[in-house]
Amino acid sequence: VVRGIAEDCAQLQPDLFIVYEGNNEVIGPFGPVGIFASFKQSEAAVTVARTMKTSRTGQLITSLARPSNQTGAPADWGGMAMFLGQQIAAGDPRLDAVRGHFRANLLAIADAGHRAGAHTLACTVLTNRRDFAPFLSQHRRDLTAAELAPWQEHFTAAEKLQLARDFEGAEKSYRAALAIDDQHAGLVYRLGRLALQRGRDPEAAILLQRALDLDTLRFRTDSSLNEIIREIGGSGAPGLELVDLDRTISAASPQGIPGDELIYEHVHLNLRGTYEAACQLWPHIAADLVHRGLLTGPAPEPFSYDEARLRLNYNTYEQAMIATELLNRFHQPPFAGQADQASRIHAWEKRAETARTLLARPDAMASLAELGRRALAGQPDDWTLARNTGAMLVSLKQPQEALPLLERAAVWIDDDIDTLIALGWAHQALGHTDESEAVFAQARALEPHYPGLPAPKDKP
């Protein structure tokens, strides 16, 4: 799928490709646990399947070939919880095919860029290893009932000792369990966290990476995929360059391991994480601009993190919305079953409460509106900034000020669901019934199950 996107982008004759890919390779549409398509071991089979799905003839053949009792793929996306029953152990031989597909895809993306005259920066991928427990764990396949009983005794005893801050006793019990079964991701993660508590950071880094690699709900980029990126990016292929974000940013992270300070949950970079990644990319991009003669003189320095916050209008309202969304997510599977769920929810509830307290101040509304105006004055053509500021003003009961911003955003991108929803509520707040219903109808056509989307009004 991404290869196709790269080919499309290459037609625009870009100067630069930045490839940040690796998450969801196993659970993607053509992966071993693909819910919307069966897994194809060979690259050629994936290509044929993708081509078949894009033509009407191929779709007809596929439908005729499907057994009459097969219900087919789910009609709607059900989120990460759809994959709870689709665990893949670290030793599953199908992962070799995934790695082969991944290598071929990265090479094809870089080749598409090179043929278009673009330079490609292949980036390793950051994952939350320090502060994020594995989603799911499995015991080694040949573990017997006679072995499982003492394993569980050691594991339970270690948890109790760790809570009592008897770290030495806890480690002894964890290692006794590890001697019986070293394939359980949750056990390896707890040992890694214990090593952190005892000040053994290098050992902790190895254990926490191992815990990620053993996680059987494989949403995160594992060490083998990052090594493929390093291999390809450092191969010396024409127009291809490695940017090892994982190693450089990890080295500057607390205890040398990336965690909550950079990543919202398992993989999605927060603003600080995004800023740090951009700073690492900055000199590579500047060097390419100089090489192309598009930049003369010394390259400018990146602006500060605080300046980035102002330019993007990353304000208290945005933070409150993010905290609310994440709390909703963390109460749902697969997050709900994690070992560290309670501490994560507690931390985000504190952040949400702090944001709500600040938003309740009498001067909050005027300050937020002014920050939005300042950001837009500096970047009047940023449609995302216009949409976000407009949505914020709707929420703050200022629809008159929000409407022109949302209309501008809708002119730029007319099928962005978030823009349409905010625009519909702005029209409704202003009493524009026909306009509101027309926008909501467009939103229903795009995403009929969007949360909070009002039902269509009955016509007289």
Side-chain angles (χ1 to χ4, degrees):
V1 173
V2 180
R3 282 170 70 162
I5 294 171
E7 291 285 354
D8 290 344
C9 290
Q11 295 180 29
L12 302 176
Q13 297 183 313
D15 297 314
L16 186 68
F17 272 10
I18 300 175
V19 183
Y20 186 83
E21 182 182 4
N23 299 318
N24 303 334
E25 290 296 315
V26 179
I27 60 90
F30 292 100
V33 298
I35 290 193
F36 295 97
S38 59
F39 181 52
K40 307 293 190 297
Q41 290 279 352
S42 75
E43 182 186 353
V46 174
T47 303
V48 171
R50 190 178 66 233
T51 303
M52 291 281 280
K53 288 177 179 295
T54 59
S55 70
R56 291 185 179 181
T57 302
Q59 291 167 8
L60 175 62
I61 293 171
T62 301
S63 66
L64 291 174
R66 184 182 299 125
S68 59
N69 62 347
Q70 183 178 326
T71 58
D76 299 309
W77 172 251
M80 295 169 68
M82 295 177 71
F83 299 94
L84 282 171
Q86 307 290 335
Q87 299 184 55
I88 298 288
D92 193 305
R94 291 174 294 177
L95 292 178
D96 290 334
V98 171
R99 294 170 189 129
H101 293 335
F102 184 64
R103 179 181 284 103
N105 289 336
L106 287 181
L107 288 170
I109 291 168
D111 181 63
H114 183 62
R115 284 186 279 106
H119 190 60
T120 296
L121 302 179
C123 303
T124 52
V125 179
L126 281 168
T127 53
N128 189 340
R129 303 191 288 276
R130 191 186 66 240
D131 301 316
F132 198 86
F135 282 114
L136 290 173
S137 304
Q138 285 183 357
H139 290 288
R140 60 180 173 85
R141 295 186 63 180
D142 59 346
L143 189 72
T144 66
E147 292 172 313
L148 179 59
W151 184 95
Q152 190 63 59
E153 289 175 8
H154 291 310
F155 185 84
T156 303
E159 285 187 305
K160 292 178 179 177
L161 290 166
Q162 190 169 8
L163 285 173
R165 303 190 68 77
D166 180 357
F167 299 146
E168 185 174 350
E171 182 165 357
K172 183 177 179 181
S173 292
Y174 278 138
R175 291 199 176 277
L178 192 72
I180 299 171
D181 180 8
D182 63 355
Q183 298 297 302
H184 192 276
L187 167 61
V188 178
Y189 178 78
R190 284 165 173 81
L191 262 174
R193 292 291 300 183
L194 191 58
L196 284 180
Q197 289 177 299
R198 307 196 76 185
R200 306 198 308 262
D201 296 350
E203 178 189 349
I206 294 171
L207 286 167
L208 293 172
Q209 179 64 66
R210 172 73 173 155
L212 183 154
D213 291 344
L214 290 171
D215 189 346
T216 58
L217 203 54
R218 311 185 75 85
F219 290 106
R220 294 179 286 179
T221 301
D222 65 16
S223 58
S224 69
L225 295 182
N226 263 338
E227 283 305 314
I228 289 170
I229 298 169
R230 292 186 180 103
E231 170 202 326
I232 290 174
S235 65
L240 185 59
E241 183 181 357
L242 172 67
V243 182
D244 203 338
L245 295 178
D246 182 52
R247 281 186 178 157
T248 54
I249 296 178
S250 293
S253 300
Q255 300 168 293
I257 311 167
D260 286 347
E261 75 286 346
L262 299 171
I263 302 167
Y264 282 125
E265 9 70 341
H266 56 309
V267 295
H268 296 107
L269 299 176
N270 59 25
L271 185 61
R272 170 63 76 176
T274 305
Y275 177 81
E276 296 299 334
C279 286
Q280 293 297 323
L281 287 163
W282 182 279
H284 300 272
I285 297 170
D288 188 65
L289 291 171
V290 170
H291 176 73
R292 294 175 184 279
L294 299 173
L295 180 67
T296 57
E301 291 296 314
F303 48 74
S304 69
Y305 175 69
D306 289 338
E307 178 69 15
R309 289 170 60 102
L310 289 173
R311 292 193 186 203
L312 294 172
N313 196 20
Y314 183 66
N315 53 44
T316 305
Y317 174 83
E318 289 277 345
Q319 294 168 57
M321 295 300 101
I322 290 169
T324 300
E325 166 62 26
L326 287 173
L327 282 169
N328 289 337
R329 184 178 300 182
F330 293 150
H331 281 97
Q332 304 297 321
F335 300 97
Q338 285 184 277
D340 55 358
Q341 188 217 20
S343 60
R344 181 174 297 111
I345 286 178
H346 177 70
W348 278 100
E349 282 178 341
K350 286 179 63 177
R351 292 169 188 156
E353 181 58 33
T354 299
R356 285 192 292 266
T357 300
L358 292 171
L359 289 173
R361 289 172 43 170
D363 61 340
M365 189 177 300
S367 297
L368 289 169
E370 176 59 24
L371 285 171
R373 282 191 287 269
R374 285 172 57 187
L376 283 164
Q379 299 167 101
D381 293 331
D382 187 333
W383 75 269
T384 309
L385 189 56
R387 178 199 65 190
N388 291 352
T389 304
M392 177 189 72
L393 291 171
V394 171
S395 179
L396 296 175
K397 303 191 185 312
Q398 297 186 44
Q400 192 69 50
E401 292 80 2
L403 187 61
L405 295 176
L406 295 169
E407 288 179 332
R408 282 166 56 192
V411 167
W412 283 318
I413 306 292
D414 62 2
D415 61 353
D416 176 66
I417 186 67
D418 295 316
T419 302
L420 295 173
I421 295 295
L423 181 59
W425 289 120
H427 277 304
Q428 187 174 98
L430 293 168
H432 305 161
T433 305
D434 291 343
E435 293 87 342
S436 174
E437 183 52 33
V439 173
F440 283 140
Q442 187 179 352
R444 287 186 207 102
L446 288 170
E447 290 195 33
H449 302 300
Y450 190 92
L453 181 63
K457 297 187 185 304
D458 294 329
K459 294 184 178 181

